[in-house]
Amino acid sequence: DLKTKNMQAVKTLGQFIIEKQADFPYAKGELSRLLRDIGIAAKIVNREVNKAGLVDILGDAGTINIQGEGQKKLDVYANEQFISALRSGGECCVVASEEHDECVYIQSEISKNAKYIVAIDPLDGSSNIDVNVAIGTIFSIYRRQSLEGKPLIGDVLQRGRYQVAAGYVIYGSSTMLVYTTGKGVNGFTLDPSIGEFCLSHPDMRIPKEGNIYSINEGNYVHFPQGVKDYIKYCQAEDSNTNRPYTSRYIGSMVADIHRNLIKGGIFLYPVSAAYPQGKLRLVYECNPMAFILEQAGGVATNGTDRILDIVPSHLHQRSAIFLGSENMVHTLVEFLNLTGNQT
Ligand code: P6P
């Protein structure tokens, strides 16, 4: 019957991770356990995000993070949850978090020689918490290069192309976890009735064409000329190329990119007067999102280079980013090349 059929159709994140472990012949289960630990922390954070309006977890924690931004209690809480899950899971030897100036080294007996490194933005878009807009967690996983002992900063500042896995959680109308281990992208929706992320979006692919462009047009006057020209291109009438496009901008990176991944589109955060290097962080925002979008058939660039090829020089460095449907990003790059001034 339908109920049995539905029960059969449900595949939890845990079952999926174990099933896909077979994709990696030498896997001994460390990455599987690491992904499971992240999934568990995401469920705990989700519980607090969902009641943020009800308990005194809104408003400022009275502390300031490296970005000089007032920390909302929820992003401090999320940071603590993910780091403690990684600490107790024993598969991660160092965490680079948006909420910490320096790396957090996990030097317990079980973790100090662990194989993996995690870079994470525990709660991105936290300025949206108080207005009930979807927010997200973004994570990126590398294999350590140094052999043992305290990890080196070079273990953390690896090019995005060396990511072993990357994913995000979007705490929206439903809570989803979307991740890749380099063999495609899969999306899981949290079923609160069983407390499990269940496979809901297998093998996600971004449409090559799209008609959504996402950019904060309030910064228009400061954009490079090529970006201005591309925005006018998006707004021009041309039925042959399905223009004018639709403008959609939530102001929460995970939400904007998740929508474009499903519907097709381009997300743009160019340099601006306020952010001459771009606003979004290379290590724990741009690289994981670029890995996911490429794995879904999309493109991610800073205007001149593939995001995943950029050599990071410091933990919190920023980058311009243009990512999404292949044909849209390619058209944007043509506009940037026409004017010669990249980003
Ligand atoms: P702006 C949220 O603060 C964030 O870090 C990203 O989630 C989002 O894409 C971007 O900043 C929005 O920035 O300048 O448009 O408000």
Side-chain angles (χ1 to χ4, degrees):
D1 63 20
L2 189 57
K3 181 166 168 37
T4 312
K5 184 174 175 304
N6 283 341
M7 284 309 293
Q8 282 160 350
V10 168
K11 179 172 292 179
T12 67
L13 174 64
Q15 289 167 328
F16 185 87
I17 290 171
I18 295 298
E19 192 181 284
K20 293 298 178 185
Q21 185 174 307
D23 289 351
F24 300 87
Y26 305 105
K28 294 196 292 292
E30 294 109 322
L31 180 62
S32 297
R33 279 191 294 277
L34 180 52
L35 289 166
R36 179 210 58 199
D37 297 342
I38 290 171
I40 291 167
K43 287 192 276 191
I44 294 169
V45 170
N46 175 67
R47 185 185 57 202
E48 296 310 306
V49 166
N50 281 352
K51 60 185 180 186
L54 301 175
V55 297
D56 177 26
I57 201 156
L58 281 179
D60 296 325
T63 51
I64 299 286
N65 68 11
I66 180 174
Q67 332 300 342
E69 295 160 348
Q71 285 179 296
K72 300 271 176 215
K73 287 180 184 173
L74 212 43
D75 49 13
V76 175
Y77 174 81
N79 183 59
E80 288 162 359
Q81 289 306 315
F82 280 103
I83 290 185
S84 70
L86 293 170
R87 198 184 295 281
S88 58
E91 303 301 344
C92 168
C93 60
V94 57
V95 184
S97 168
E98 198 238 14
E99 301 295 343
H100 288 268
D101 305 7
E102 306 300 332
C103 291
V104 177
Y105 293 94
I106 302 180
Q107 295 299 294
S108 64
E109 267 317 298
I110 59 167
S111 298
K112 67 183 182 185
N113 291 323
K115 255 165 88 172
Y116 294 108
I117 287 151
V118 175
I120 189 165
D121 187 353
L123 208 58
D124 176 72
S126 45
S127 54
N128 294 308
I129 292 171
D130 295 351
V131 294
N132 211 8
V133 162
I135 47 183
T137 298
I138 311 171
F139 64 89
S140 172
I141 301 174
Y142 292 90
R143 191 172 288 105
R144 72 179 289 176
Q145 302 297 311
S146 58
L147 295 178
E148 58 187 1
K150 185 174 180 181
L152 309 173
I153 192 63
D155 282 315
V156 180
L157 297 180
Q158 298 185 49
R159 269 183 280 199
R161 69 162 82 139
Y162 296 117
Q163 288 176 92
V164 171
Y168 60 81
V169 184
I170 177 166
Y171 309 97
S173 44
S174 64
T175 294
M176 280 191 69
L177 186 147
V178 173
Y179 85 97
T180 182
T181 55
K183 294 181 183 293
V185 179
N186 290 282
F188 299 79
T189 300
L190 183 64
D191 178 343
S193 70
I194 58 173
E196 291 285 2
F197 281 107
C198 299
L199 183 63
S200 54
H201 296 65
D203 193 23
M204 297 176 83
R205 306 289 294 169
I206 185 170
K208 287 230 175 303
E209 292 292 349
N211 70 345
I212 294 173
Y213 70 103
S214 310
I215 187 168
N216 182 343
E217 299 193 44
N219 299 323
Y220 182 86
V221 293
H222 302 300
F223 288 152
Q225 188 54 46
V227 173
K228 290 181 180 174
D229 296 343
Y230 179 70
I231 290 173
K232 292 305 169 205
Y233 169 85
C234 293
Q235 294 168 346
E237 188 91 41
D238 177 358
S239 53
N240 295 330
T241 54
N242 200 14
R243 284 178 291 141
Y245 294 152
T246 295
S247 172
R248 285 284 182 278
Y249 193 70
I250 302 167
S252 178
M253 184 187 197
V254 173
D256 277 315
I257 293 178
H258 181 71
R259 180 208 47 246
N260 290 359
L261 170 57
I262 290 174
K263 293 182 176 278
I266 181 171
F267 174 86
L268 309 89
Y269 208 107
V271 299
S272 62
Y275 298 105
Q277 301 303 317
K279 176 182 186 184
L280 301 174
R281 306 292 182 170
L282 176 62
V283 171
Y284 42 77
E285 289 175 330
C286 298
N287 269 337
M289 284 311 200
F291 186 27
I292 293 164
L293 266 288
E294 285 198 5
Q295 282 290 311
V299 171
T301 175
N302 65 1
T304 50
D305 304 300
R306 181 180 176 229
I307 292 285
L308 298 184
D309 288 341
I310 300 173
V311 180
S313 49
H314 59 273
L315 212 45
H316 301 285
Q317 82 182 63
R318 302 175 189 268
S319 173
I321 184 165
F322 309 100
L323 86 170
S325 294
E326 182 177 1
N327 295 348
M328 298 181 83
V329 178
H330 286 164
T331 302
L332 164 81
V333 170
E334 282 169 21
F335 276 99
L336 290 174
N337 292 340
L338 276 176
T339 57
N341 69 338
Q342 297 306 340
T343 53

